[in-house]
Amino acid sequence: MNRPPIQRWISPRRLRPRAGLNGNLNDPARGGEFRQPTPGGDTRADSDAPGGPPATAREPRAVPRLDAGFRFRALAWLLPTQLLAVQAAEVNLARPTAQQYTWHEQERIMFVCLDPATWQGREYDNHSTPLSAINPTRLDTDQWCRAAGLWGAREILFVAKHTGGFCWWRTDTTSYGIKDAAWKGGHGDVLAELSASCRKHGLTLGIYVYPGDDTWGAPMGSGGRTKDPAKQEAYNQVFRRQLTEVLTRYGKISEVWFDGSCVIDVSDILEQHAADAVVFQGPEATIRWPGSETGKLPYPAWNSLLRKDLKTGTSTAAHGNPDGDAWAPLEADTTLYDHHWFWSAANEEKRKSLDELMDVYYKSAGRGGVLLLNSTPNTDGLIPAGDLKLYEAYGREIARRFDRPVAEVTDQRGETVELPLPEPTLINHAILMEDYREGERIREYVIEGLADGQWRPLQKGISVGRKKIDLFQPVLVSRVRLRVTRAAAEPIIRRLAVYSVAGVPTGALAGLHPGAQGWRTCGTWAVRDFHDGRAALTLDLSPFILQPGQYEVRFEPTDGKRAFRIAGATLLYEGEEATPGLLTRLEAPNSFNVNRTAQVTKETRSVLEVELTAENGSDCEGVVKIRPQPAE
C-alpha cells in the first residue's frame, strides 16, 4: 500500500476546540469526544498508560471522522504553509495482540540449552552417551533463575527437547528421556523443577520442543517430517502428545519455540493450551527470527509484515514491511560462547566479551527487538561461575548506561517533541520509544541538539517501535528536539530520554548503519553443461555458509545477453530436502534466499541443486555468487 509521506503533523493540542465551537463534543452524533483518532479508530482512556498492557487486543475499525464544519474551522486557525502540510490520518496499521505486547515488554530472555550433546562436547546429540551417564547431580534451577536476574532477563526459554529427541520432562512417549536416565534414580523432572523456580523468582517460562526427532528418523531441519513416510502419522501423534504434555502440566507458558518451523499440524493444541503464548516459527507463528544468530537485528527493523509471509512459518526480518497487515516482532537469539550453544570446557574459552554483549544489546533491544541470550549448564547441571560473572557485569553495565537519564519526557503526541535539559550538558545517547500498541507510525526521524543557539542534528533514524537507542559523538546542548520527518499517522511518543554515558569505546559508533556485504563466487556453469537446452548444477554451499543465517544466491550470465531461466531449485541440508520456506525466490532476477536455521558444524552440509533452461535455444555460461544477507 503506497501512501504519501507525512511532512508535518498538527498536534492535537493545537487543534483543541474552544468551548461551544462545535456544540457538544461528547455528542455521539458529532463524532463523540474529540481525540486524535488512532489508525484503527480507537481512542484510549488516559488511564491506559503506555507502560501497561492493553486492555484488549484491538481489531481494526473504521476511523471516525470529525464533521466537515469543525475540520474547516480547525484548519482556519493554521498558517497557510501549515494548511499545505496537513494530511489525513486514515491508515490501518498492524498492531500487537495483548500477548505479543506482554511478551515484547520483557525485552530480555535467557535461553537454557542442556542436552546429551553437553556430555559429548558437541552441538547435536549423536546418541553416544549412555543414559546412565546423564546424571547432573548438582542441577539447580534456582541458580538458573538467579543467573537470568543478573542481567535483567524476565523469561527463561528452556530447551525441553532438542534434535536428538531426549526429553527433560517425564513422558511415556519415549524411552529416551530424563525418566530413563540416572538422575534422581529416574524419578526426576527438570521441567517441573524449572517451572517452580520461575514462579519463585518471578520469571515467565517458555518452552522449546524440537519438531524433529532423530529417534523417529525426523532429522534436523525436517520440521518433523520423517524420512520414512510410513512413520509419519505415528510420529505426528507422538509429537502432538509431547507438546500437549509440556503445555498442560507446568503452569502458564509464555512462549513456544518450533526451531526451523513445524510441518505437523498442532494449531488446535496451541489454540486450546497456549492461547496466552507467542509462537516462534511454524504456520502459527506470532514472532520472528531475525535471520541470523548474531543477536543483532538489521536496520530498519519492522514489527509488521505481510500475513502471507508470516504464514510460511519461516519469515524473518527480511520480510519486514512497515505497511504489512500482520504483526510479528523479532527475537534476536545469540550464544554466550562464540559460536556454541552447548557447554564444554573448550567452549568456555570462547566466552564473549562484555563489549561484544553491549554491541548485541544496542542492536537487538536497542533496535526494537527482544534479546534472547543463551546460557548452558555444564554436566553438573550448573551454569559455570565465569558465565555468572559475565552476566552480572552485563546487567550492571546496561544499568550504568541507561538507568539514569539526564532528562526525559513521556506520553507525547505529534511530530515535534522538545526536551529541555536542567543545564547545558554533554550527552551522547538518546532513547526513543513509540506507543507501538497503536502500530509503528514513525518512518523517519531526526534527533537534534541546541548548541550555541543553533539546532544541530545528532542522529537520524528510520524505524523505532518499542525502543531505539541512538549513539552519537558527545555534544554539549541545552535542549534536545525530536522531529519526525515521515510518519504513517500522528506519532505517539512513549518516551524520549537522553544520557551522558562515560567510558563508551570509540569503536562503538562503527557499524550502526552498515552497508551491503560483498559477493563471493560459489560456482560456475559452461555451455558444455547444457544438454537439449537444459543444465543441472549441484552447488556445495557449505564452505560459504559457516553460521546459521540468510544468504542470497544469484545466477549471472557471463557471455553477454544470452538469456536463461531457472526451471527448478532444491535445497538440501545434510542430504535431506529442507523444510518448505527455507529456500525462496527473491525479486531480483535469478536470485534466491537460502535460510539456514540450524547450527553449522563440520558434519553439516548445505547443497543447492538447480536446473537451468536456455532461452531461445542458445546455451550460455555464467557464474553463481553468494553473500550473507545483512545481519545488523
Side-chain angles (χ1 to χ4, degrees), residues 17-25 30 70 73 77:
R18 291 189 290 269
L21 178 68
N22 196 41
N24 181 3
L25 290 178
R30 295 187 178 274
F70 172 73
R73 284 186 289 271
W77 301 342

Side-chain angles (χ1 to χ4, degrees), residues 322-546:
D323 296 321
D325 57 354
W327 185 275
L330 295 158
E331 185 173 36
D333 61 323
T334 195
T335 59
L336 190 70
Y337 305 153
D338 195 15
H339 184 84
H340 300 276
W341 290 101
F342 294 96
W343 177 89
S344 73
N347 290 346
E348 277 200 61
E349 301 302 316
K350 301 174 184 178
R351 192 180 290 121
K352 291 177 179 175
S353 70
L354 179 58
D355 285 344
E356 288 176 301
L357 291 182
M358 286 307 302
D359 187 53
V360 165
Y361 181 74
Y362 277 67
K363 294 172 182 176
S364 56
R367 288 179 174 174
V370 170
L371 170 58
L372 175 59
L373 178 61
N374 193 47
S375 70
T376 174
N378 58 26
T379 52
D380 288 334
L382 294 175
I383 295 173
D387 298 0
L388 296 177
K389 183 178 179 180
L390 180 55
Y391 289 136
E392 183 175 17
Y394 195 25
R396 286 181 175 177
E397 183 61 12
I398 293 172
R400 182 187 76 85
R401 296 191 187 192
F402 301 119
D403 271 8
R404 294 178 296 277
V406 172
E408 65 179 323
V409 63
T410 59
D411 302 332
Q412 302 291 304
R413 300 178 76 102
E415 82 290 355
T416 302
V417 174
E418 288 195 18
L419 175 60
L421 274 56
E423 59 183 7
T425 305
L426 199 69
I427 63 170
N428 61 351
H429 282 76
I431 288 182
L432 177 59
M433 302 175 76
E434 284 189 88
D435 185 357
Y436 61 98
R437 291 175 301 176
E438 303 299 341
E440 287 184 293
R441 299 179 168 206
I442 297 174
R443 302 298 164 84
E444 290 181 8
Y445 69 91
V446 60
I447 293 176
E448 301 168 320
L450 187 63
D452 299 324
Q454 293 184 334
W455 287 107
R456 299 180 179 180
L458 305 179
Q459 189 59 272
K460 295 180 179 179
I462 304 173
S463 61
V464 175
R466 182 184 181 272
K467 176 184 285 188
K468 179 63 167 65
I469 299 177
D470 280 316
L471 168 64
F472 41 84
Q473 295 289 355
V475 58
L476 185 69
V477 298
S478 59
R479 299 177 73 88
V480 172
R481 179 170 70 185
L482 165 70
R483 286 194 302 112
V484 178
T485 55
R486 195 161 72 91
E490 183 197 27
I492 307 176
I493 308 304
R494 175 177 172 178
R495 183 175 186 244
L496 171 64
V498 294
Y499 301 81
S500 179
V501 181
V504 177
T506 304
L509 285 167
L512 289 179
H513 302 280
Q517 302 184 48
W519 291 96
R520 298 176 65 189
T521 299
C522 61
T524 60
W525 75 89
V527 171
R528 64 177 178 272
D529 294 321
F530 283 83
H531 302 280
D532 298 325
R534 293 180 176 270
L537 304 182
T538 299
L539 303 168
D540 185 0
L541 304 182
S542 306
F544 308 94
I545 298 180
L546 302 178

Side-chain angles (χ1 to χ4, degrees), residues 276-332:
D276 292 331
V278 296
V279 179
F280 180 89
Q281 298 195 323
E284 310 304 318
T286 56
I287 59 175
R288 283 177 292 153
W289 188 48
S292 78
E293 291 181 350
T294 62
K296 303 172 185 179
L297 304 187
Y299 190 76
W302 303 107
N303 287 297
S304 54
L305 71 163
L306 297 178
R307 189 168 301 278
K308 67 179 182 65
D309 291 330
L310 181 60
K311 287 298 183 182
T312 65
T314 56
S315 59
T316 65
H319 296 92
N321 183 336
D323 296 321
D325 57 354
W327 185 275
L330 295 158
E331 185 173 36

